[in-house]
Amino acid sequence: ANPTDRCHIIVSDNKIFEESPLFESNIIRIYKSKEEQIQRIYNELIYAKKMFEISNVALFGAGGHSHKLAEANVPLDNWVSVVLDNDPNKQGTNFQPINVPILSPSEIKFNKIDYIIISSRADQRQMVEQVREINSESKIVTLYPEVQIHEYQV
């Protein structure tokens, strides 16, 4: 093998890693586990637990991030009544970790949703903008850099 060739070895145990390495050399890259972020989100969302339990809550994103939240025992099944996703292949199915329907985000304008939790780090900004264009009544919950609840009034 050519010493200048790069080899990526990820020992994962089914974990998610940050996109930027903590340390990088010409032979190794070390990434920080996103599991710490999931634990932080869990801790911060627990503070909003009572508010979410008496509200109609949607989770935006039916991908890996949402699955990691469910696996980390974030009580999504107690809060979330619907999952929103832009992927037409997921729409009309159920989000299996919590067994709720997956709908197109455009359908939120026909449903009374009090809170929409944005479950993505990479696409958080675009997803917030999409929700604001469709539905200005729902409060938007972002998870990065910390859990925040945003109210947008038109």
Side-chain angles (χ1 to χ4, degrees), residues 107-125:
E107 294 185 47
I108 60 175
K109 60 184 165 192
F110 305 113
N111 296 289
K112 173 73 171 116
I113 304 289
D114 299 308
Y115 296 91
I116 299 173
I117 300 172
I118 306 295
S119 183
S120 173
R121 183 178 193 156
D123 298 321
Q124 178 174 272
R125 189 172 50 87

Side-chain angles (χ1 to χ4, degrees), residues 38-51:
I38 298 296
Q39 186 61 45
R40 176 197 54 81
I41 291 168
Y42 171 82
N43 292 338
E44 292 176 7
L45 283 175
I46 290 302
Y47 286 111
K49 177 182 175 194
K50 293 224 183 283
M51 178 177 56

Side-chain angles (χ1 to χ4, degrees), residues 7 9 16 33 43 52 57 72 125 130 137:
C7 177
I9 299 173
I16 300 175
S33 170
N43 292 338
F52 290 150
V57 178
R125 189 172 50 87
Q130 183 178 0
E137 295 178 17

Side-chain angles (χ1 to χ4, degrees), residues 40-95:
R40 176 197 54 81
I41 291 168
Y42 171 82
N43 292 338
E44 292 176 7
L45 283 175
I46 290 302
Y47 286 111
K49 177 182 175 194
K50 293 224 183 283
M51 178 177 56
F52 290 150
E53 286 177 343
I54 60 169
S55 303
N56 196 7
V57 178
L59 185 69
F60 192 168
H65 192 277
S66 295
H67 284 271
K68 282 294 179 186
L69 288 177
E71 290 170 11
N73 295 320
V74 175
L76 298 175
D77 54 340
N78 295 332
W79 304 338
V80 175
S81 59
V82 66
V83 173
L84 309 170
D85 200 276
N86 288 314
D87 183 347
N89 295 319
K90 294 178 182 177
Q91 297 164 7
T93 65
N94 278 356
F95 184 70

